[in-house]
Amino acid sequence: MDTLTQKLLAKVQNLPEVNKFRLSGPDGLRTDYFGLFTDKGENIGPAVRRGYIPHTTENDVVPMAIAGVKAFDENDIDNSDQCRVNVKFKQGHIISIRPGKSWERSIAGSDTVFPLLNIHAVYGQTFRVNFGIYRQQCTNMAELRGVSGNIDLRLRHTSGIKHHIQETIATMKEAVNGWDAMIDYCKKLKAIKVNTEEFLRKLYPEDSINSLAAKTRHEARTRDIIERIQREAHQLGEPTDILTEVDGWLLLNGVQGYCQHDKSRRGGEDMGHFDRAVAAFGDADVVKAEKLILSLGV
């Protein structure tokens, strides 16, 4: 058994299994609702209907995670012991896999990135699997829509989930093999220059502001994005006068960083760093920002 698989199994073997049991009403009244409970009797997530199919640790999550680490391991034999596999159980299975040093790439200078595979299998929510980029400069976990190597899959807990999980496993290696294409795309964004004012005006149109509170939120959001870009540019030793023009890579990460770290989310302070990153995957603002950069860039 390879090193990465051993690491993964050591971390997940004690995670609980979750099963579905019918809930009773007052005086034992039969209901059409079911509860999700671990093998230790702990209630997980909200009540569900009959058609809800809970995923399992042994048959669903572990095979998917093994497929991910094997996809990295086949191309990273000498550095497999450096792979980071983070596992936790918080209302479900949350796993992130980041491979060894040989996978690190520079977009420009010290601005480096790693590939990152995320499995966010939380009960009562959509089962999500993402393959994207971890940017060390700002701890952003980003997905990119303009390149084929990206994965952002959302699986519902219905009768088809087992089939979709097997399909997802089959795409792991294909996604990992697209890593170099993803880096080329990031460098393409880096080479694009965008007018900052025009970009922000089109990303967040002022004609949608219809109250003083909305105006205050709009101004705070714009300030947060600009300050984030300037801060990251300063840390990288790049020009910080970005009020008129900035490269597409810094600009996209400014919006992504805002959506991941600063944007108001349901769950608020209870959300951890990884939960916020997952919530930002596919964020409409980030998707729109990427398209705008490509259309406005010179």
Side-chain angles (χ1 to χ4, degrees), residues 7-286:
K7 279 188 173 184
L8 176 64
L9 291 179
K11 292 187 176 185
V12 301
Q13 63 183 355
N14 294 320
L15 293 181
E17 290 286 6
V18 172
N19 295 288
K20 182 177 69 173
F21 297 95
R22 186 185 294 274
L23 298 175
S24 298
D27 298 324
L29 180 68
R30 182 182 176 89
T31 75
D32 292 329
Y33 290 90
F34 294 75
L36 303 175
F37 297 88
T38 69
D39 43 18
K40 295 182 180 180
E42 179 185 4
N43 177 230
I44 298 294
V48 298
R49 302 303 293 265
R50 179 190 297 274
Y52 186 96
I53 307 297
H55 64 268
T56 67
T57 302
E58 182 178 357
N59 297 323
D60 299 323
V61 174
V62 170
M64 182 178 289
I66 288 177
V69 296
K70 281 186 176 294
F72 286 129
D73 196 33
E74 289 178 4
N75 296 284
D76 192 25
I77 296 174
D78 293 336
N79 291 281
S80 61
D81 61 331
Q82 298 179 24
C83 185
R84 298 182 182 180
V85 181
N86 295 315
V87 177
K88 70 176 180 178
F89 189 89
K90 181 182 179 183
Q91 298 295 304
H93 305 79
I94 301 175
I95 301 173
S96 65
I97 304 166
R98 200 188 89 178
K101 188 73 173 178
S102 66
W103 289 82
E104 182 180 12
R105 299 288 187 273
S106 168
I107 304 305
S110 61
D111 194 353
T112 58
V113 296
F114 277 91
L116 190 69
L117 175 65
N118 300 310
I119 299 171
H120 194 262
V122 175
Y123 295 100
Q125 299 180 19
T126 303
F127 189 129
R128 299 191 64 177
V129 182
N130 309 95
F131 177 79
I133 286 178
Y134 174 78
R135 183 177 181 234
Q136 299 190 98
Q137 176 65 26
C138 54
T139 68
N140 278 0
M141 301 181 194
E143 62 168 346
L144 302 169
R145 294 302 178 96
V147 62
S148 59
N150 172 69
I151 287 181
D152 182 13
L153 300 176
R154 308 180 186 208
L155 315 179
R156 296 180 62 196
H157 285 87
T158 58
S159 58
I161 190 170
K162 304 293 183 180
H163 172 70
H164 292 311
I165 285 175
Q166 291 304 312
E167 287 186 330
T168 302
I169 288 174
T171 66
M172 295 290 189
K173 185 174 181 179
E174 180 181 349
V176 169
N177 287 341
W179 176 234
D180 287 335
M182 196 176 290
I183 296 303
D184 290 341
Y185 181 71
C186 293
K187 291 181 177 180
K188 174 185 175 180
L189 293 175
K190 185 69 180 177
I192 292 175
K193 300 299 181 184
V194 181
N195 182 283
T196 312
E197 182 180 359
E198 180 183 11
F199 170 83
L200 290 172
R201 186 172 64 248
K202 290 189 174 183
L203 181 62
Y204 299 114
E206 294 189 1
D207 57 13
S208 63
I209 300 175
N210 53 19
S211 68
L212 179 59
K215 181 179 179 181
T216 300
R217 289 194 299 270
H218 173 81
E219 292 175 347
R221 177 180 55 207
T222 300
R223 182 173 61 251
D224 286 346
I225 291 173
I226 289 175
E227 288 179 351
R228 177 173 290 276
I229 297 171
Q230 289 177 320
R231 183 168 62 251
E232 292 173 7
H234 174 73
Q235 292 169 349
L236 293 167
E238 298 184 8
T240 57
D241 183 13
I242 56 92
L243 297 181
T244 55
E245 186 178 84
V246 68
D247 71 69
W249 173 247
L250 277 177
L251 193 57
L252 180 62
N253 275 281
V255 177
Q256 165 70 33
Y258 166 79
C259 291
Q260 178 177 328
H261 302 289
D262 304 317
K263 189 174 183 178
S264 296
R265 298 282 182 191
R266 182 179 297 178
E269 295 180 357
D270 293 333
M271 296 183 72
H273 178 73
F274 187 78
D275 296 321
R276 290 194 63 87
V278 171
F281 288 141
D283 187 289
D285 291 357
V286 181

